[in-house]
Amino acid sequence: MEPRTGGNGHTLELLSFLDVRAWDGRVDLAPWWGAGHTGLKGILIEEADDAKMAMPPLRHVPGLSPAAYRDAQRALFAAAAGYGVPLVYHADLGLHGDFVTECLQAHPDVPVDIPHFGFSRRAMARLLDRFPAVVTDISSLGPHMATAPASYRAFILDYPDRVLLGSDVLASHDLRPALEYVEAVRGLDLPGEIEAAVLGGNARRFLGR
């Protein structure tokens, strides 16, 4: 979702990412890709994620072995590189930091957004320091920002061009709660140019727009 300014003020442009979290890494994505998607989206869920995610390993959906599931994740990064599009990739860096690093090393030029600060600001910072094409977003972090605003402000000031606005609000339900995330950013008392970057400029650059 990208805010745009037109003759009548601000409007919203909805940009879709093709969610391939249950892809086996082999089935041709071309029939789906022609529908006008802006990028790809994937989520890494393995046995170790169950306690936090309360989800069964996603490899069970296409019936993959653990090794084949990892290969499918690698294929996702390769597909984003092949299509020349950004990738939104959910992963708990505390559990899977080494594997995500491997994928980024193989495709360092692919713009990759790892949401929720990768569940670890420290691990996220290591990736941001190492891979210039990687960004992160604040989706689902509203309650944490409210309890520790100084820490989140400091992180954003360290990476002012690498943090995106996000909320995890479903556009099909109600976009109004997403405004709370805009206000959360404004409440951090960031310098004006950095606030503007987080609220829109960084996302436009990530999207290649």
Side-chain angles (χ1 to χ4, degrees):
M1 183 175 67
E2 179 191 6
R4 296 173 63 86
T5 301
N8 296 323
H10 294 282
T11 60
L12 289 176
E13 180 183 7
L14 297 179
L15 306 175
S16 66
F17 276 61
L18 181 62
D19 190 331
V20 293
R21 69 183 70 186
W23 185 40
D24 65 4
R26 298 185 295 271
V27 173
D28 186 10
L29 294 177
W32 297 93
W33 191 247
H37 301 291
T38 300
L40 295 171
K41 175 183 175 180
I43 303 177
L44 176 62
I45 301 289
E46 296 185 320
E47 282 79 359
D49 292 284
D50 182 63
K52 188 177 294 184
M53 300 295 189
M55 292 176 62
L58 286 175
R59 67 183 181 84
H60 292 319
V61 178
L64 298 174
S65 68
Y69 179 63
R70 286 289 180 108
D71 286 342
Q73 303 302 302
R74 296 182 180 98
L76 173 55
F77 281 79
Y83 286 121
V85 297
L87 170 65
V88 174
Y89 193 70
H90 292 253
D92 186 334
L93 297 179
L95 296 172
H96 309 299
D98 289 344
F99 178 71
V100 174
T101 298
E102 174 200 318
C103 293
L104 292 172
Q105 285 176 323
H107 304 284
D109 297 326
V110 173
V112 179
D113 172 30
I114 300 175
H116 325 303
F117 288 13
F119 298 96
S120 168
R121 277 175 286 169
R122 184 176 301 174
M124 191 71 244
R126 288 196 292 268
L127 290 187
L128 294 175
D129 289 339
R130 187 170 177 182
F131 299 103
V134 171
V135 299
T136 187
D137 68 58
I138 64 169
S139 56
S140 295
L141 296 178
H144 303 284
M145 294 173 65
T147 58
S151 297
Y152 283 87
R153 183 179 191 274
F155 187 93
I156 293 173
L157 290 176
D158 284 341
Y159 302 99
D161 59 344
R162 315 287 289 282
V163 179
L164 315 182
L165 176 66
S167 68
D168 266 357
V169 169
L170 296 178
S172 58
H173 290 178
D174 186 354
L175 286 174
R176 286 173 294 185
L179 297 176
E180 297 175 7
Y181 276 76
V182 175
E183 294 307 315
V185 172
R186 289 175 174 162
L188 294 177
D189 193 29
L190 297 165
E193 67 276 12
I194 295 178
E195 178 182 288
V198 174
L199 292 179
N202 293 343
R204 284 190 287 272
R205 186 173 59 256
F206 171 70
L207 294 167
R209 303 172 76 85

